[in-house]
Amino acid sequence: YVQYFIDEHTRFVWAEFLKSKAECVAATLRVRANFNATVGTPVDEDGIPLPRPTVRQLHSDHEGGLESHAWEAIRAEKGVDAKMSPPHDHDLNPIAERTIGVIDTLAAAFQSQGNIPSSYWPYVIRHAVNVHNASLSSTGSSAGDSQISAYQRFTLRRPNVMDLAPPGVRAVVLKPPQHRAKGDLSTRGWVGCLLGRSSHSIN
């Protein structure tokens, strides 16, 4: 499974990959921690820091893990409100639905372009999320600046895009010293297929 999180103001996206839906609460807490660790603190016209953004409310569909008593207790402890769309009506969470549609379309294009096996879908989705976050994107009704990327709106820093090569291109990973021998003509790296940002490849 993949669980998406979208910041409504900046349209920044996180994707958490789960082996079972029972992990959704832990994934939510990981994203909340990442939000708190990476969100930028804005300043006013005089350069004085404004209040640091924080997670105050989660808007979601009806998911069992996010309706449990354990999650209710965690929310109360963390001071996070919850809002859920009516059952079976995803259209009432339009920001999430549109953003997930964009990610899915990007992922399908990257998989087709790179001829990536379907079993590697988490890497392709992760790459699509990274591309979305680093690209100029519509903010809809949000007050966020639509002329910069979601990453810059969220962190207040420009994104690094030099390593966002298309999945499927040839990639070379430097061999560690124990796999190299002096004096021979073997290559200094392993050749594989890039799966996106990080060191993962298909040999």
Side-chain angles (χ1 to χ4, degrees):
Y1 300 99
V2 58
Q3 185 176 2
Y4 292 103
F5 299 83
I6 300 100
D7 175 54
E8 289 194 356
H9 176 67
T10 64
R11 303 307 200 255
F12 188 89
V13 178
W14 294 262
E16 286 283 324
F17 299 97
L18 318 176
K19 292 184 178 179
S20 74
K21 291 187 177 182
E23 300 174 18
C24 68
V25 169
T28 302
L29 293 176
R30 284 195 300 271
V31 169
R32 181 179 182 272
N34 182 269
F35 181 106
N36 292 334
T38 56
V39 68
T41 301
V43 297
D44 64 16
E45 295 178 355
D46 298 321
I48 299 174
L50 297 172
R52 186 176 177 84
T54 186
V55 178
R56 294 188 177 91
Q57 185 184 75
L58 294 172
H59 184 182
S60 68
D61 295 331
H62 285 262
E63 171 55 52
L66 298 180
E67 296 179 300
S68 65
H69 294 299
W71 175 237
E72 291 290 329
I74 292 172
R75 283 200 307 104
E77 178 187 349
K78 304 292 185 182
V80 177
D81 187 29
K83 177 182 178 183
M84 291 192 171
S85 300
H88 315 298
D89 193 349
H90 303 294
D91 293 338
L92 293 184
N93 196 356
I95 293 173
E97 294 303 317
R98 283 197 302 268
T99 305
I100 292 170
V102 168
I103 299 298
D104 286 348
T105 300
L106 277 174
F110 290 141
Q111 181 177 7
S112 175
Q113 175 189 13
N115 196 28
I116 306 295
S118 59
S119 58
Y120 288 89
W121 66 267
Y123 299 102
V124 182
I125 288 180
R126 178 80 67 197
H127 184 75
V129 167
N130 287 331
V131 169
H132 165 82
N133 286 339
S135 304
L136 299 185
S137 56
S138 170
T139 56
S141 60
S142 168
D145 186 351
S146 61
Q147 300 304 308
I148 60 177
S149 66
Y151 181 91
Q152 189 168 351
R153 287 192 293 267
F154 181 75
T155 66
L156 305 182
R157 302 189 307 272
R158 291 184 178 181
N160 181 3
V161 298
M162 295 301 292
D163 59 346
L164 286 181
V169 300
R170 177 176 290 186
V172 179
V173 179
L174 184 66
K175 294 177 181 177
Q178 64 268 28
H179 292 279
R180 298 198 303 258
K182 292 183 178 180
D184 67 8
L185 297 178
S186 62
T187 60
R188 298 187 62 192
W190 289 304
V191 178
C193 174
L194 185 74
L195 289 178
R197 177 175 286 170
S198 76
S199 58
H200 301 292
S201 62
I202 307 172
N203 292 323

